[in-house]
Amino acid sequence: MCGIVGLYLKNDALTSQLGEHLVAMLVEMTERGPDSSGVAIYRRPAAEGYEKLTLFHSDPGYDWASLAGEMQVALGDVDEPEQHDNHCILTTAAAAKAAVAWLVEEHPEIRVVSVGNTIEVFKEKGLPSEVAARFKVSEMEGSHALGHTRMATESAVTTQHSHPFSVGEDLCLVHNGSLSNHNRLRRWLMKRGLEFQSDNDTEVAAAYLTYQINQGASLKEALEAGLEDLDGFYTFAVGTRDGFAVVRDPIACKPAIMAETDDWVAMASEFRAIARLPGVENATIWEPKPATIYAWGRA
Amino acid sequence: MPKVDLSTDTVRDLNQRLHDLEPGTTETDWRVINPMGAHAVAVGLEASVHVEIDGHVGYYCAGMNKEATVVVHGNVGTGFGENIMSGTVICHGNASQSAGATGHGGLVVVKGDTSARCGISMKGVDIVVGGSVGHMSAFMAQAGHLVVCGDAGADLGDSIYEATIYVRGDVESLGSDCVEKEMTPEHVAKVRELLQRAGIEADASQFRRYGSARKLYNFNIDHAANY
């Protein structure tokens, strides 16, 4: 069991409340996932020619300023690092691939949690309320966000195994369920140049979508291909820089509920996560059909 | 009339108060407000009481019901009225998966649609759905009636035993060992009676009947592909 939530704002006036609503949704899913929790928030696009990285080091006292200085010398301009507990946002003029390659080579103690123009990912072991407080998620503004509460079933409880998984630039996936063909698919994707940070099944799904999108597919087309290639039980909520999508496996084994108003689209594992959103009393509420892709924005 | 506000009281308190009612209680009409998608609201009721719930509820609402009438003015999550023994449970909105699952008796009414596996393993309950039902509804249904005023999703009545399914609209596909059967005047009368008990208006003569071909009861090598 796990809990997933997603919130996509259609009304820009609500962007300052994104984090606050996301945390309320996430905390409501505590019983579904008390082991670890995480969020992906799409906000503050990096300036033209810059890339934004979310980095992790287990020590909250890690010297990010020194790392940024080193990176600046090696790769080009780096903005002042913005630390969020044991995560850090670094914005750099270096190309994403070069920055990641440099980090892997020079600082293997650092883990790259997300890369892109707008995405930021924060995840950690512990109850959703603790994780949200640790990163002050409720204070974060943004256009859309995903959240995950994990009850681990197929791999260890570590920060590394926490969701969400972001493999491609600005692409992020949260998952309730379990995939049965992820080992084979991981090998297949590795042969095609995809890299993995864990043995987690969800990371494979994120990598699969990244692969399809890199091949030219839209998010919707990538998810359609996934319905053929991903075997197992899943409800996915997927975010891209300016898109949001939800899909369930053809048997609809894992729960999902969606609601939409003129101001927002929300999805969650259970309705109670949506029940307190503003204007929910007038929302259109429905259960997504199996093997059907629901998408908003430029998906 | 006792009124319970779930924004201040817990579901456990509500259910305990309902369980503590003695036979012959005069507190027979209850109202529950602000359920906010909570699970297990009004489960395991054994007293002959009437509970109205204003708003959407989560999983297993009115599960294991005996005698009571539970009415939800909203949507219900997974397992609405699951394992109902008797009494009546009514949802005025839509229901998620497995509505009326394993029910032994009584009546489950969903005025809107249900998603997958409505009436899975039903054992004598009557289920009336005003809208459509999702895939694998009445899977392994053993006894009772499932009436669907709209359409039925794929694999309706898969591995069905002796339950009877009536569908007015389209059936996407029938599951293993489920076949269409003749609709006699006796069956039309049964549908009419169930619709009337459910308070749903529909023309009973427009329904078609589905049930077991009884080929999977005992293992037969010639039917191996159907299992």
Side-chain angles (χ1 to χ4, degrees):
Chain A
M1 190 188 272
C2 286
I4 58 175
V5 299
L7 183 59
Y8 177 87
L9 300 179
K10 295 156 77 179
N11 179 353
D12 291 343
L14 293 176
T15 51
S16 64
Q17 301 166 29
L18 181 77
E20 177 193 334
H21 294 314
L22 182 76
V23 170
M25 294 174 80
L26 199 66
V27 169
E28 200 63 46
M29 292 294 91
T30 299
E31 289 90 346
R32 296 190 69 89
D35 291 338
S36 68
S37 181
V39 297
I41 299 210
Y42 291 85
R43 60 176 191 151
R44 308 186 298 182
E48 181 77 32
Y50 280 73
E51 295 276 356
K52 186 160 61 167
L53 291 87
T54 313
L55 306 177
F56 165 84
H57 190 284
S58 54
D59 176 11
Y62 184 78
D63 187 356
W64 293 103
S66 150
L67 175 89
E70 252 183 78
M71 198 170 177
Q72 177 137 339
V73 171
L75 297 171
D77 192 31
V78 178
D79 285 354
E80 196 175 322
E82 184 189 293
Q83 190 178 347
H84 298 258
D85 197 79
N86 55 9
H87 286 46
C88 181
I89 307 295
L90 268 194
T91 308
T92 171
K97 273 204 170 132
V100 173
W102 181 82
L103 283 163
V104 169
E105 184 65 29
E106 301 294 328
H107 288 278
E109 75 279 14
I110 302 284
R111 198 160 56 247
V112 180
V113 185
S114 76
V115 177
N117 175 265
T118 51
I119 192 171
E120 296 175 17
V121 170
F122 304 97
K123 56 186 185 179
E124 191 46 275
K125 301 184 292 290
L127 292 174
S129 56
E130 295 164 3
V131 175
R134 191 166 180 167
F135 299 111
K136 299 190 173 64
V137 177
S138 58
E139 293 170 16
M140 293 179 185
E141 80 300 342
S143 55
H144 53 301
L146 304 171
H148 188 274
T149 65
R150 181 164 188 243
M151 188 179 287
T153 52
E154 53 60 71
S155 55
V157 178
T158 69
T159 314
Q160 198 168 354
H161 285 91
S162 305
H163 302 219
F165 285 100
S166 178
V167 177
E169 287 187 39
D170 280 323
L171 184 131
C172 185
L173 177 96
V174 286
H175 173 203
N176 174 207
S178 57
L179 300 178
S180 46
N181 64 340
H182 63 101
N183 286 326
R184 187 176 57 75
L185 207 52
R186 186 183 296 105
R187 286 195 296 275
W188 188 85
L189 288 163
M190 282 167 84
K191 278 185 200 155
R192 283 153 185 82
L194 276 289
E195 286 171 13
F196 293 85
Q197 295 192 354
S198 77
D199 54 353
N200 183 281
D201 58 341
T202 305
E203 190 180 16
V204 174
Y208 175 84
L209 296 181
T210 300
Y211 171 77
Q212 291 292 350
I213 288 168
N214 289 348
Q215 296 294 306
S218 66
L219 174 57
K220 201 160 186 274
E221 288 164 348
L223 287 168
E224 274 162 8
L227 286 169
E228 293 296 320
D229 290 335
L230 298 171
D231 190 13
F233 303 137
Y234 53 84
T235 295
F236 292 137
V238 188
T240 60
R241 182 174 170 175
D242 38 25
F244 172 64
V246 173
V247 66
R248 300 172 82 190
D249 69 66
I251 303 172
C253 233
K254 293 296 173 181
I257 186 88
M258 303 205 61
E260 182 170 15
T261 69
D262 290 341
D263 292 333
W264 47 259
V265 178
M267 83 77 57
S269 297
E270 299 174 20
F271 175 74
R272 58 188 168 133
I274 294 173
R276 286 171 176 79
L277 287 174
V280 72
E281 55 284 355
N282 299 315
T284 306
I285 298 166
W286 76 99
E287 184 173 322
K289 290 187 184 305
T292 304
I293 292 148
Y294 298 83
W296 286 264
R298 223 180 298 158
Chain B
M1 176 198 280
K3 187 171 175 178
V4 179
D5 184 347
L6 290 181
S7 67
T8 51
D9 290 349
T10 66
V11 171
R12 195 173 287 255
D13 288 339
L14 166 71
N15 287 339
Q16 195 62 56
R17 286 176 68 184
L18 290 165
H19 295 168
D20 288 344
L21 295 172
E22 301 285 346
T25 176
T26 53
E27 288 192 321
T28 53
D29 286 292
W30 290 66
R31 181 146 227 116
V32 178
I33 61 169
N34 294 318
M36 306 294 265
H39 298 325
V41 176
V43 295
L45 305 193
E46 297 196 359
S48 179
V49 294
H50 187 104
V51 182
E52 298 264 340
I53 302 167
D54 291 332
H56 307 310
V57 294
Y59 294 0
Y60 310 123
C61 178
M64 301 180 286
N65 190 66
K66 266 187 196 170
E67 302 293 328
T69 300
V70 178
V71 182
V72 181
H73 298 278
N75 300 325
V76 295
T78 296
F80 178 57
E82 55 100 29
N83 214 51
I84 181 173
M85 304 304 284
S86 61
T88 303
V89 301
I90 301 169
C91 163
H92 282 277
N94 297 324
S96 182
Q97 306 194 0
S98 307
T102 74
H104 288 250
L107 177 67
V108 174
V109 179
V110 177
K111 295 284 174 90
D113 300 327
T114 82
S115 61
R117 298 175 272 272
C118 178
I120 181 172
S121 198
M122 53 195 279
K123 296 176 170 68
V125 64
D126 292 324
I127 303 174
V128 184
V129 179
S132 299
V133 295
H135 64 272
M136 301 249 13
S137 287
F139 176 50
M140 295 187 81
Q142 290 143 54
H145 305 87
L146 171 63
V147 179
V148 181
C149 298
D151 304 328
D155 296 323
L156 177 71
D158 193 284
S159 307
I160 190 172
Y161 294 84
E162 291 308 302
T164 309
I165 307 170
Y166 299 101
V167 182
R168 182 166 64 165
D170 296 329
V171 174
E172 191 177 329
S173 64
L174 293 172
S176 275
D177 212 35
C178 184
V179 292
E180 183 167 357
K181 296 186 168 184
E182 189 193 352
M183 192 80 184
T184 67
E186 176 196 336
H187 298 115
V188 175
K190 183 67 191 176
V191 173
R192 192 174 293 125
E193 176 221 315
L194 288 164
L195 288 167
Q196 195 256 330
R197 278 172 60 204
I200 290 176
E201 298 236 350
D203 182 350
S205 67
Q206 294 174 345
F207 286 76
R208 297 165 79 165
R209 180 168 71 107
Y210 304 88
S212 178
R214 303 190 178 102
K215 286 183 180 166
L216 298 182
Y217 275 35
N218 300 297
F219 183 75
N220 181 326
I221 192 66
D222 293 335
H223 301 141
N226 292 327
Y227 288 99

